[in-house]
Amino acid sequence: MNIIMLGAPGAGKGTFSAFLEERYSLPHIATGDIFRENIKNNTELGQKAKSYMDQGLLVPDELVVSLVADRLSKDDCKAGFILDGFPRTLVQAEALKETLADMGAQIDYALDFECPDDFIIERMAGRRVCKGCGASYHLVNVPPKQEGICDVCGGELYQREDDAPETVAKRLEVYHKETQPLIDYYEKEGVLKCVDGTIGRDNVFKVLAEMLG
Ligand code: AMP
């Protein structure tokens, strides 16, 4: 099963991907996580990506397209994958289609998690992420058992730099302009499924389980 996760930043794509990863034993490929890992390790890719990310802008297509094509060629993607945060532009969507066609594969589901902007802004303000394992929390909705500490690995929780309110506003603007058109694109491809992203994590899990079997 080949799945794409669509939706605005903060719509819950990472959380829902982790659920699908566990339920269907599929690799979870999150381009944002790959960039953050590269920044942490101070690689050339990380250095190039950082300035765009800090401003709430998209990393240029050519940097992300080859990275994803390379990742999809690995053996663990043969039985399927979850792409979280890619594609984000029509150019990326077309490139993905070509990469998959070369592999004799295609997208089975493009899941769009729908959330209004004001909901996203509130959610991002409270989001905290583990420095160690990347697990995501919310100060009010999904608080860790111990303040500032990850339940999963005991790592330190922090607020992503790009979750600052002014950067979130920019990311939403970029989302509406560059990424939202993908909803029509995948509807035309016949693989779009819309999910209300505001109904709470466990309810979304139930919807996904019913939808995908
Ligand atoms: P995310 O963790 O998915 O919210 O991604 C964080 C940031 O990484 C984004 O705001 C972009 O700057 C960059 N990024 C992640 N995925 C992509 C992509 N597919 N295309 C361009 N930039 C991306």
Side-chain angles (χ1 to χ4, degrees):
M1 190 155 50
N2 300 334
I3 302 173
I4 291 176
M5 308 296 271
L6 296 173
K13 299 187 295 294
T15 304
F16 306 141
S17 295
F19 169 75
L20 295 178
E21 175 182 24
E22 166 136 2
R23 185 175 170 90
Y24 301 106
S25 302
L26 296 172
H28 170 199
I29 302 164
T31 42
D33 287 348
I34 296 174
F35 287 133
R36 279 185 288 278
E37 190 62 26
N38 274 274
I39 291 172
K40 201 158 104 184
N41 296 328
N42 201 20
T43 67
E44 199 184 326
L45 176 67
Q47 285 169 8
K48 283 187 189 155
K50 189 175 183 332
S51 59
Y52 297 98
M53 291 172 72
D54 284 350
Q55 294 175 71
L57 300 173
L58 293 183
V59 173
D61 289 329
E62 58 273 20
L63 287 184
V64 68
V65 161
S66 54
L67 181 133
V68 171
D70 183 55
R71 181 64 187 83
L72 291 178
S73 70
K74 301 275 188 293
D75 278 352
D76 66 336
C77 293
K78 288 217 166 80
F81 54 78
I82 303 157
L83 268 181
D84 166 9
F86 182 94
R88 264 179 155 103
T89 64
L90 286 168
V91 170
Q92 293 178 17
E94 283 295 339
L96 176 63
K97 195 174 173 179
E98 266 179 44
T99 302
L100 292 179
D102 290 347
M103 295 163 55
Q106 69 204 6
I107 294 302
D108 298 306
Y109 296 102
L111 304 176
D112 179 40
F113 298 93
E114 299 172 319
C115 294
D117 283 7
D118 52 356
F119 182 91
I120 295 283
I121 289 165
E122 191 281 322
R123 182 183 271 177
M124 305 285 254
R127 176 156 75 173
R128 296 294 180 273
V129 182
C130 175
K131 270 189 185 165
C133 70
S136 191
Y137 298 84
H138 186 279
L139 294 180
V140 181
N141 305 336
V142 192
K145 291 194 183 93
Q146 203 185 330
E147 199 187 318
I149 305 287
C150 177
D151 294 350
V152 182
C153 75
E156 187 189 336
L157 303 185
Y158 78 110
Q159 182 172 36
R160 277 171 44 176
E161 268 174 46
D162 59 351
D163 280 352
E166 54 289 0
T167 316
V168 169
K170 185 69 198 168
R171 289 167 73 198
L172 278 171
E173 188 190 319
V174 170
Y175 166 76
H176 289 302
K177 185 160 167 264
E178 304 281 355
T179 310
Q180 214 170 11
L182 296 184
I183 296 172
D184 278 350
Y185 177 91
Y186 285 111
E187 179 154 42
K188 289 195 186 108
E189 296 276 308
V191 293
L192 181 72
K193 298 268 182 200
C194 296
V195 180
D196 182 346
T198 68
I199 57 178
R201 192 167 64 155
D202 292 343
N203 289 323
V204 173
F205 290 169
K206 271 191 215 144
V207 170
L208 290 174
E210 275 167 24
M211 199 176 257
L212 307 183

